[in-house]
Every structure is written in structure tokens, then in C-alpha cells.
Amino acid sequence: MDENAGEGDEATRIRAVLRNHPQGLSIKEISFEVSMSRNSVAKYLEVLMASGQLDLRHVGNAKLYTLSRRIPVGSIINHTGELIIVLDDNLRVVQASDSFCAFTGLPRADIHDARLSSLPAPILSAAEEGELLPLMHGGPTLKKEIRVVRNGDEVFFSGRFIPALLGNGVTAVTCILEDITERVRAERATRERDQLLHTIFHIPTAPQFYIDRNHKVVYWDRALEIMTGIKAEVVIGTHDHWKAFYSGEYPCLIDLVVDGNPRKIFEMYPEISSCSPDAEGRYEFTGFFSAVGPRGKWLHLTAMPVRDPAGNLTGAMETVEDVTDKKNREFVIQD
């Protein structure tokens, strides 16, 4: 943006005089140098101050004006890794960095005069844009985390919104967006891992394993290794958990829980008294598994879904309790 746009020769002459006096001049001295009345000089100085072109400092009772040493936003906007946008007092884009244009995939002409809420991948909602209005009146810098969905992918930014002035003295807001997507994903993965570990270690201490929503084994504990003779390193990352219970491939209770089909569970495991789970989505089943051990075992299975903090299904956990001795005692008593 041309800093001189809309200004007459008088403003240009004032800047030229101040350029030759870097130590600063008072209104009286400027008036003498440019042959203008003090009142006229004062009005031009006010405009130049508002547009950020001049600085004012006090020396005793004197007010000295100097050319501003601040770097215009336009000079640095394309030389930073952050995405930068400048909004006018109507919250419409008047400047955008090359990096912001690349992020949106739009030419600069299509971004100019648009609102952040109207872009194909909106940066802010209309309600969030309203939060920027106080900045037009010198409000404090606003900071917030922003989530943008672009081409179906989530992108996260740490946003800073700073009061600014355009070259013509119009109030504005400079938006600086730092991409923090990798950090947010890492934090989310940590939370999901902690949630999983919390779930695992708060289930009764019986042999257990965990599969993800793609039916791959993620966790296979030592107790289950001893019971089944199948090592964790052999089964983790595979779909072969059925081998611990059946001589041929057959859906395990945990697989049906992941699929979320109660009717199918009832069909495949008719011994389950109800096709409806308990409040936690848990199913329980007791049956004889001839493929477990040399003579088979009676096992009590408990399978339940595992969800992340947002409630999304991440997989399922199954505990395996050997109840062979209990069943054998029941048979003896019945005899």
C-alpha cells in the first residue's frame, strides 16, 4: 500500500523536512521550515501520526516529531513462515502473505476484500469475527487456537490478532497464524495413549488383549501368553488373535464388539443371554474352547469398546478368565 496515497504536497514536504532533521522538530520549527501555519501543520501531523508514519517524543515541555522507524507490515509480510493477513475496519482482507495465499490455494485477487469466514476453508466463524471488533478501538491483543478443515484434513493454528493502522490512518487488525498442527496431533496422541493405558490398567487383572478398530492386535499381555502359548510379538500387528481360541478362523467376541452389531453377536454367540450390552457396552460370555490347552478350557470372556476422550471408537478390550476349575466343580456337584 502506498503510504502517500491521499496525501497532498504539504504532507510530503513535512516528511522531507523531518528526514533532514532525524533528531526531531517541534510544530513551530516545522511550520517555519515548510512555510505553513501552525494549525495547518498540526492537522497534517495528526494524520501522519495516525497512519504510523511519525513518532512523537517529549523533551522537557517540547514535543518533537520524527519519522517513524517502524517497518511497514507490507515490507515483511512475505518474509516469514507464519501466515499473515491484514483486515480493514470492515474485517475484510486488504493484505495477505504469500504463505496465506498458498494455504488457501486461491489467487490474491480472490482473497482481497473477502472475510475470513467466507473463504472456502473458513479461518474464523462469523461469531469469532465479532470477537475482533474491540481491536478496532485499541483493545488488547487477542490470542486463540484455530481449527481449520481443509480438503477433509484438520489444520490447527495459534492465532494472534493485533490492533493496527493502515497507511491511510484507517484502523485495522493484523492476524498472525502459526501452524501448530503437529503439536496438537502429538498432544492428542498422548491423550489417547493415556486413556488407553488408563482403560487397560483399570480392568481386573485377568489375561487381556486389545485390538484397534481395524481388528489388529495392539496389546497382548504376559498372562495371555502363558494361557494360550502365543507370544505377543507373534500376534501384535496381525488379525490372528482368533488362533488363541479356535482351531479355524472364526470371529472373536471382541471383533463383533468393534463392529458394533449386537444382533450379529447374539447370532454368533447364542449363549449370551441378551443381544444388548450393559451400560458400558460390555458383553460377557462363558464357553468351552477345545483349542485352548491340551484338553480345552472353559473361559469367561468380557469384551468392551474403548473410546478416546472425544467419544470416538478406537478399538476394544477383551479379558479372558479361565473358569475350568469352577466348571469342573459344578459338574462334580451335579453328578
Side-chain angles (χ1 to χ4, degrees), residues 18-330:
L18 291 175
R19 190 173 295 113
N20 294 328
H21 295 81
Q23 76 282 1
L25 294 174
S26 66
I27 292 180
K28 178 181 178 181
E29 291 169 330
I30 297 171
S31 175
F32 175 78
E33 292 286 342
V34 298
S35 301
M36 291 171 55
S37 70
R38 293 187 189 182
N39 288 338
S40 296
V41 168
K43 291 179 182 179
Y44 281 107
L45 290 176
E46 183 178 353
V47 172
L48 292 171
M49 284 284 296
S51 63
Q53 298 179 52
L54 299 185
D55 288 329
L56 173 64
R57 62 190 177 91
H58 293 79
V59 179
N61 294 325
K63 296 179 180 179
L64 297 183
Y65 293 86
T66 59
L67 289 178
S68 174
R69 298 185 180 218
R70 289 170 286 177
I71 301 174
V73 172
S75 300
I76 62 173
I77 197 170
N78 293 319
H79 300 280
T80 175
E82 298 168 316
L83 278 58
I84 301 180
I85 319 102
V86 180
L87 308 178
D88 65 14
D89 53 355
N90 291 314
L91 299 179
R92 296 187 178 277
V93 177
V94 292
Q95 284 183 305
S97 64
D98 291 343
S99 55
F100 184 78
C101 296
F103 173 78
T104 62
L106 298 173
R108 200 178 306 275
D110 291 349
I111 296 174
H112 182 73
D113 208 34
R115 283 180 172 264
L116 296 181
S117 60
S118 66
L119 296 172
I123 304 300
L124 298 175
S125 66
E128 289 173 324
E129 283 182 324
E131 298 175 10
L132 305 182
L133 293 175
L135 276 68
M136 298 297 178
H137 306 289
T141 296
L142 174 66
K143 296 181 181 180
K144 67 182 302 173
E145 185 175 298
I146 299 167
R147 172 181 173 271
V148 179
V149 178
R150 182 186 61 170
N151 300 325
D153 294 327
E154 290 182 313
V155 182
F156 296 89
F157 294 102
S158 174
R160 286 176 290 156
F161 300 87
I162 306 168
L165 286 171
L166 300 178
N168 57 4
V170 173
T171 56
V173 175
T174 298
C175 312
I176 303 175
L177 306 179
E178 178 188 0
D179 191 334
I180 58 170
T181 304
E182 291 305 316
R183 189 185 80 195
V184 171
R185 288 176 178 170
E187 291 173 350
R188 179 183 292 176
T190 298
R191 288 195 300 270
E192 292 177 355
R193 181 203 64 195
D194 292 345
Q195 178 67 26
L196 173 59
L197 292 176
H198 180 274
T199 302
I200 290 173
F201 291 112
H202 282 74
I203 291 178
T205 56
Q208 53 195 355
F209 67 103
Y210 171 81
I211 64 172
D212 64 19
R213 59 187 178 187
N214 295 315
H215 300 267
K216 285 188 177 182
V217 177
V218 176
Y219 176 79
W220 189 270
D221 75 2
R222 176 60 179 161
L224 196 56
E225 287 184 333
I226 295 172
M227 174 185 287
T228 64
I230 297 177
K231 296 290 186 180
E233 58 264 28
V234 173
V235 72
I236 287 178
T238 75
H239 303 90
D240 295 340
H241 45 286
W242 61 268
K243 293 181 179 180
F245 308 99
Y246 303 103
S247 56
E249 188 168 357
Y250 189 83
C252 295
L253 180 59
I254 193 174
D255 292 303
L256 302 177
V257 169
V258 167
D259 291 338
N261 189 335
R263 188 64 59 184
K264 189 71 173 178
I265 292 174
F266 191 56
E267 292 175 1
M268 303 294 290
Y269 290 86
E271 298 89 342
I272 297 178
S273 59
S274 172
C275 61
S276 298
D278 66 11
E280 296 183 357
R282 174 170 34 221
Y283 287 91
E284 297 187 47
F285 161 72
T286 301
F288 183 75
F289 291 80
S290 59
V292 180
R295 290 182 292 180
K297 290 182 180 292
W298 283 92
L299 302 177
H300 180 76
L301 308 179
T302 303
M304 62 181 293
V306 175
R307 302 183 183 278
D308 64 19
N312 302 308
L313 181 73
T314 60
M317 173 69 69
E318 183 168 303
T319 61
V320 184
E321 182 183 359
D322 184 350
V323 294
T324 304
D325 289 344
K326 178 181 178 182
K327 281 291 184 180
N328 287 339
R329 288 195 299 271
E330 291 176 359

